[in-house]
Structures are given as C-alpha cells and as structure tokens.
Amino acid sequence: MSFDIAINKRQGDCQIDVTIRSDSKLVAITGPSGAGKTTALNCIAGLIRPDSGHITIGGRCLFDSEEKIDLPPESRGCGYVFQDSRLFPHKTVLANLNYGAGRAGTQTAPLSLEEAVSLLGLAHLLERKPDTLSGGEIRRVAIGRALLSGPRFLLLDEPASSLDPERAEQIISAIEALRDRHAIPIIYVSHDAAEVARLTDFVVSTGG
Amino acid sequence: MMTASEWAIVALSLKVSFAAIICTLPVAYSLAWLLARRRFPGIIFVDALVHLPLVLPPVVTGWLLLLTFGRNGAIGGWLEQTFGITLVFQWTGAALAAAVMALPLMVRAMRLSIEAVDRKLVDAARTLGANKWRAFLSITLPLSLPGILAGAVLGFARSIGEFGATITFASNIPGQTRTLPLAIYSELQIPGTDIAVTRLAVIAVILSLGALMMSEWLVQRSTGGRAHVL
C-alpha cells in the first residue's frame, strides 16, 4: 500500500484527524484554510509530532505512537514543497537546488539538475539570491529543490498557487509526469477542486 | 606619534582584549543560542546571570572573580594545582575580567540575530536531509553571522575600556595588567601629568571610535546594508 496514515493531533481548540489508506500513487488533501491541511503535512514530514496514530508511506513506517517509532525529519526522506517556499536567503538558487542533493541512503532524484532546471525554467536564475526573485520564481526553485533531494515521497502544499496560469499548467503537467513515470508517492494539498480532480481520484477532506 | 611606553600600553590593551573576545566568542554564542532557542526551567536566572556584569558595580564583579579565580578560590586553586596556571596579577587575569564584562553585550547582539533566523528555514533544511548539526552549521550560523561580528566588536570595544573589575581582580601592574584605562588612572594620581593623560585619553577615544565604526561597517557589509549595530 502506498499510504497508510492515521493522524490525530490537537492544536489549540482544533482537533485534526486525518486518515489516508490508499494504493493510489497520488492522494490529495483538500479543505478550507485553517482545517489542518498543512498541520497534517508537517506531521508526515516529522516537523510536528502527532498525539497518536501511525504514518506508513511506500511500506516504510515513519511514525507509530504504539510502536514508539518516530523518525526525525532528516531520516524520513520527504521532498516537501512548503506553501511559503522557505528558500535559504543566504544561498544562491543553485545552492538551494543542491542543498538536499547529497542526501544519504535514498534513491536518486527523479530528475537530474539539468532536467529540473529546464522543466522549471530556472536556467537564467542559478546565480541569483532568493530576494531578487519573483513569487513564481521562488515557488519553482522550491519545487526543484524538493525534487532534487532524492525524496522517497513528495509533500506538495499548494504548489501551483501564486503562479501565472501558463506556469501553473507546466507544474501540474510535471506532477502528472512524476505520478505516471516514477514510483514516488505524492501527497498533494490544494483548495482548487478542478486541479485536484485532474490529478487523482483519491481525495481526503479535512475539517469544514 | 606614540612613545614606546604608550605603545606598550596600547599593545597590552589590544592583547588583553583580543584574548578576551576570542575565548568568549564560543561561550557567548552558546549562551545566546540557548537563550534564543530553548525554553527550560531557570532560563530567567541564566538570562539574569549573564546580564549581571552589565549592572553590578564592576568592583563587585572583580571581587567575585578574586573569590572564584584567586589562588585560594575554587576554580583558581584547581587551575594552579592542576595546570600551574595563575590568573591573578597576570595579563590573563585582565583578559578574564574583560571577558566577563564584555559577555552581556556579546550575548545580547548574538541572541537578537539568532532570534531573527526563521526557524522554518531550519525545518526546511531538516526535511532536505540535514541533521540538527548540519542545519545549524549551514543555516543558523551563517544567517546569524552579522550578530556574531557585531557582538565580537562591541565586546572588544567594551574590553578596551574595562577598568573596575580589572583593577580589583588583576591589579595595576605595569606591563602586565596596566591597560589603557588603568594607565590613565595611574597618571591621574601624579600631579603635573596633564599632557600624558590627554595623550592616552585621545588614544582611548580613537580606539573605541574605531572599534564601533568597524563593527557597524562589518555588519553592513555582511548584510548588504540591511542591518545595523549602532
């Protein structure tokens, strides 16, 4: 099974319960903002500890409250595209792209540096610092950085938002290609129903 | 320009201050990181203890150093018996006094710059395969570099001016612990030394002004003009 996830997390007044059991290569999480979509991704990435539950992706257990398994984020092998991108401001675009490239113990990246650069249209940006990039450019670099880190699975938090329609279309096509050609499980968070419907039949709703 | 004896005083002051700052840097940065990034019981006490030399009469700080690091003190006695190191009445003692007095300023500057580093960037580094140590070395440390530089130079400027704790702990020994402020004080005790005092005072102003301007320049340069110390 690609995904066997059950997360229970109380955050403030909000109780977040997410259950995903699917053989689908790509599952989507939708829901209104504030419903805990990003919290669920942070739990899967190991940045937040769930109160209880288990997380198994691609047959590999990352967290199990009963078995006392809780891998640190660096051992989970996730390629996480954050909603706020989080490029390293003191590093060039190229250094950002290469930051996770040397990750030990994981499979090779689904794309080479050259392929990622041409797919995402980054060739003219490689020597620039993030503070000189536009919002769409920052997002594309963040996607490239996650792909080039040799991830075992991808967490994409609204990857096509804040992009112009043409670039958004390119990104979604690229995600379709990743889904069809590579064996990387993908969790896709979006509020856009049409976008989600195009990518997968397996949709989980949070809150609301 | 400077006479040989004046130069000897300045050289001693620089030696004492450099030694104080180099040795204090890792301590100050560790404390700054602890105060910026960790919540633990007693953090207020640690915070207050670090800042104590800023508000305590320097003569009390010097006396406490004498109790602790003197030949009969808990640490001083151990240092002397184990390593044969004596701090009192030595230039190393003056450096220790300067270090303690400079510590609060250094910790403050570094703490602010560590707090300014977005933790979400560290999280991002962790998801990309960096363990805590690599995330610290590649993200937190370089991004807090302006605060390290600012803290170091501010601490240096403070060390150059250190008087009370030094004269109490390390005494006022020519060539050994008689730094610039102590030399000025000594000259003031002798009638008819107006010119000597003025010359030393001008040197002190130039050194301190230079250190402050240097720290501002270093920080501006390393941040592309976005951050300031002064």
Side-chain angles (χ1 to χ4, degrees):
Chain A
M1 192 170 322
S2 296
F3 300 95
D4 182 4
I5 297 171
I7 297 168
N8 308 292
K9 174 74 186 170
R10 180 149 200 92
Q11 212 169 38
D13 293 336
C14 182
Q15 175 67 36
I16 294 155
D17 302 295
V18 176
T19 306
I20 304 172
R21 284 176 63 85
S22 172
D23 266 324
S24 211
K25 278 191 207 160
L26 191 153
V27 302
I29 304 177
T30 61
S33 55
K37 301 190 295 287
T38 299
T39 302
L41 287 192
N42 284 338
C43 287
I44 295 167
L47 301 175
I48 297 178
R49 195 188 152 87
D51 297 332
S52 64
H54 59 266
I55 300 168
T56 301
I57 297 178
R60 187 161 169 261
C61 181
L62 309 176
F63 176 83
D64 193 322
S65 55
E66 282 173 15
E67 302 281 331
K68 305 249 182 291
I69 296 170
D70 185 8
L71 294 185
E74 65 267 27
S75 305
R76 296 195 177 197
C78 78
Y80 192 166
V81 177
F82 297 90
Q83 203 171 356
D84 52 357
S85 294
R86 305 188 190 178
L87 298 188
F88 304 128
H90 57 305
K91 293 180 180 290
T92 62
V93 167
L94 184 62
N96 267 282
L97 289 173
N98 279 328
Y99 188 88
R103 185 187 335 232
T106 40
Q107 57 237 58
T108 49
L111 300 172
S112 70
L113 180 64
E114 291 73 23
E115 286 168 335
V117 164
S118 86
L119 171 74
L120 297 163
L122 302 173
H124 60 297
L125 303 174
L126 293 176
E127 298 308 317
R128 302 246 302 260
K129 289 280 185 70
D131 61 357
T132 68
L133 305 180
S134 72
E137 289 168 343
I138 287 171
R139 178 55 56 88
R140 276 142 56 198
V141 176
I143 293 170
R145 183 176 69 176
L147 289 177
L148 291 170
S149 69
R152 292 169 185 271
F153 62 94
L154 288 172
L155 303 175
L156 309 177
D157 198 352
E158 306 267 8
S161 69
S162 82
L163 295 177
D164 59 69
E166 194 186 334
R167 216 43 111 164
E169 170 57 34
Q170 280 182 323
I171 296 296
I172 294 175
S173 307
I175 292 166
E176 283 179 320
L178 279 172
R179 178 196 62 189
D180 297 338
R181 280 189 230 140
H182 300 275
I184 300 183
I186 301 172
I187 298 180
Y188 190 96
V189 163
S190 176
H191 60 273
D192 185 332
E195 206 176 280
V196 165
R198 191 177 144 185
L199 286 166
T200 182
D201 296 331
F202 195 95
V203 180
V204 182
S205 295
T206 55
Chain B
M1 288 283 285
M2 277 196 271
T3 66
S5 65
E6 282 167 354
W7 176 242
I9 291 164
V10 171
L12 176 68
S13 280
L14 292 176
K15 179 170 86 168
V16 164
S17 296
F18 270 119
I21 298 314
I22 298 290
C23 296
T24 313
L25 264 177
V27 178
Y29 193 85
S30 306
L31 284 167
W33 185 87
L34 205 64
L35 293 171
R37 289 297 200 222
R38 285 280 172 269
R39 291 290 162 266
F40 53 91
I43 186 170
I44 294 182
F45 178 72
V46 174
D47 202 359
L49 200 63
V50 166
H51 283 83
L52 199 57
L54 208 58
V55 290
L56 205 63
V59 62
V60 176
T61 305
W63 178 71
L64 288 172
L65 285 174
L66 208 50
L67 287 185
T68 324
F69 289 92
R71 305 183 88 149
N72 300 320
I75 302 176
W78 176 77
L79 279 177
E80 178 150 331
Q81 278 168 20
T82 318
F83 302 106
I85 297 172
T86 315
L87 290 171
V88 278
F89 310 138
Q90 306 286 326
W91 76 270
T92 45
L96 176 65
V100 169
M101 297 303 289
L103 187 71
L105 281 178
M106 295 173 71
V107 171
R108 286 174 77 83
M110 293 176 189
R111 179 185 184 171
L112 282 176
S113 72
I114 294 170
E115 281 171 350
V117 177
D118 192 345
R119 273 188 214 219
K120 290 175 171 180
L121 295 175
V122 177
D123 282 349
R126 299 286 303 280
T127 67
L128 289 164
N131 59 25
K132 283 181 181 176
W133 186 236
R134 184 181 165 218
F136 168 76
L137 288 178
S138 62
I139 308 298
T140 309
L141 189 65
L143 285 174
S144 60
L145 191 63
I148 299 176
L149 293 174
V153 186
L154 280 178
F156 181 79
R158 177 66 187 80
S159 297
I160 291 277
E162 165 46 30
F163 177 79
T166 308
I167 201 165
T168 311
F169 176 57
S171 188
N172 185 1
I173 302 164
Q176 197 61 248
T177 69
R178 184 172 290 175
T179 55
L180 198 49
L182 273 66
I184 295 172
Y185 173 78
S186 307
E187 293 288 357
L188 280 169
Q189 306 305 303
I190 308 163
T193 53
D194 297 0
I195 293 172
V197 169
T198 307
R199 287 179 63 92
L200 289 172
V202 168
I203 294 170
V205 169
I206 291 171
L207 270 179
S208 306
L209 207 58
L212 288 175
M213 281 161 51
M214 174 74 103
S215 74
E216 175 72 9
W217 179 77
L218 278 173
V219 168
Q220 283 197 17
R221 210 180 81 120
S222 69
T223 61
R226 286 189 304 276
H228 301 273
V229 204
L230 305 179

